[in-house]
C-alpha cells in the first residue's frame, strides 16, 4: 500500500536517507504479531491507545494475505502528541527518529522495528489529519473496526479508511518528508504543541 513501505532499521549503521536520524542494520529480524501487540500495549500504557494501520491492518482485516512487514504503522486518535512525546522522553529503550518528526507524525524504534504514528483529530462526527500542518485529510466514520491478528482481536483503522487513504495518497503530498522545512524540532515548545490540533475556524 502506498505510504506503508517499510524501512527496516537497527543501530548498526547510519541511514543514508536525507534528514533521517535512525540507524540501519544489514538485515533486521522478521516482524511478528507479538511485536505489534507489544507496541500497542506500550502506547496504551502511556495513555495513548492507537489503531493498527497500514499493511498490518490490511492483514488483520483480511484485506491481504499474511506477508512480511518492514515496519508498524499506527493512527493515534488524540488532540496532540503530548502523551507520545512524554513516553519517548521518559524511556531509554525507545529511540525517536528525528528525521520523521512532523506535525502529523512521530516515529520511533522499538528494538529494531520502526514504528510510525499519525495523529488524527476528532472533527464533529468525523476525523481529520493535518498532514504537514496544512494538508487536510478527512477520515470516514467510523474510524476503526475490530480485526484479528494471530487469532487475537485488536482495533484497526477501518477497511473503508484504508481504501480511502490508498486512493487519496498523493493528495497528502508524501514527498514532503524530504523537505527539511517539514520537520518539527525536538525542542518544539509546549505552546506550539497546542497548535497541532486544527484551528477552531478550520473545517477539515
Amino acid at each position: 500500500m502506498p505510504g506503508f513501505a517499510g524501512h527496516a532499521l537497527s543501530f548498526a549503521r547510519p541511514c543514508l536517507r536525507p534528514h533521517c536520524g535512525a540507524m540501519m542494520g544489514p538485515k533486521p529480524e522478521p516482524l511478528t504479531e507479538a511485536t505489534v501487540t507489544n507496541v500497542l500495549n506500550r502506547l496504551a500504557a502511556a495513555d495513548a491507545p492507537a489503531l493498527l494501520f497500514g499493511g498490518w491492518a490490511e492483514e488483520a482485516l483480511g484485506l491481504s494475505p499474511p506477508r512480511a512487514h518492514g515496519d508498524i504503522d499506527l493512527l493515534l486518535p488524540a488532540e496532540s502528541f503530548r502523551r507520545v512525546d512524554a513516553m519517548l522522553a521518559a524511556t531509554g529503550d525507545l529511540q525517536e527518529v528525528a528525521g520523521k518528526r512532523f506535525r502529523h507524525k512521530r516515529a520511533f524504534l522499538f528494538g529494531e522495528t520502526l514504528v510510525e504514528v499519525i495523529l488524527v483529530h476528532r472533527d464533529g462526527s468525523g476525523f481529520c489529519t493535518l498532514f504537514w500542518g496544512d494538508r487536510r485529510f478527512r477520515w470516514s466514520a467510523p474510524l476503526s473496526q475490530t480485526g484479528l491478528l494471530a487469532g487475537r482481536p485488536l482495533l484497526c483503522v477501518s477497511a473503508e479508511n484504508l481504501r480511502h487513504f490508498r486512493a487519496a495518497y498523493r493528495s497528502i503530498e508524501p514527498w514532503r518528508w524530504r523537505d527539511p522545512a517539514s520537520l518539527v524540532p525536538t525542542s518544539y515548545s509546549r505552546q506550539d504543541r497546542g497548535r497541532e490540533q486544527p484551528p477552531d475556524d478550520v473545517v477539515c
Side-chain angles (χ1 to χ4, degrees):
M1 176 176 290
F4 301 144
H7 306 291
L9 303 176
S10 75
F11 44 82
R13 59 187 174 87
C15 175
L16 299 180
R17 291 174 298 165
H19 323 303
C20 183
M23 308 293 283
M24 297 186 68
K27 190 174 182 180
E29 293 296 322
L31 274 178
T32 66
E33 294 87 349
T35 304
V36 174
T37 300
N38 288 338
V39 168
L40 289 170
N41 288 343
R42 190 69 174 268
L43 285 161
D47 201 19
L51 306 174
L52 195 58
F53 187 43
W56 279 110
E58 289 184 319
E59 181 176 326
L61 294 174
L63 302 178
S64 68
R67 63 184 188 274
H69 299 275
D71 61 4
I72 298 173
D73 297 293
L74 305 171
L75 252 59
L76 177 71
E79 291 307 314
S80 76
F81 281 115
R82 179 176 58 85
R83 291 189 175 99
V84 172
D85 288 342
M87 177 188 73
L88 294 174
T91 57
D93 62 325
L94 301 177
Q95 177 190 345
E96 182 173 2
V97 180
K100 285 181 171 286
R101 186 183 178 97
F102 306 117
R103 287 186 177 270
H104 68 278
K105 179 185 283 188
R106 294 293 187 269
F108 60 90
L109 294 177
F110 182 83
E112 295 189 348
T113 300
L114 177 65
V115 181
E116 300 193 55
V117 184
I118 293 176
L119 189 66
V120 180
H121 309 280
R122 181 172 290 280
D123 175 45
S125 61
F127 303 88
C128 172
T129 292
L130 285 176
F131 286 90
W132 320 110
D134 57 28
R135 299 301 299 174
R136 299 176 183 87
F137 183 86
R138 186 78 175 262
W139 303 88
S140 300
L143 181 63
S144 65
Q145 68 183 88
T146 301
L148 287 174
L149 200 60
R152 296 182 178 181
L154 74 171
L155 282 177
C156 305
V157 173
S158 70
E160 179 182 352
N161 277 309
L162 290 171
R163 287 189 287 263
H164 174 45
F165 186 79
R166 177 196 286 272
Y169 180 62
R170 290 187 61 81
S171 72
I172 68 169
E173 302 181 354
W175 52 86
R176 287 173 64 178
W177 76 267
R178 298 182 178 88
D179 183 357
S182 298
L183 293 171
V184 172
T186 54
S187 58
Y188 198 35
S189 72
R190 183 173 299 177
Q191 181 181 3
D192 287 336
R193 284 175 188 163
R195 299 193 187 109
E196 286 172 350
Q197 63 186 39
D200 292 339
D201 59 348
V202 170
V203 178
C204 294

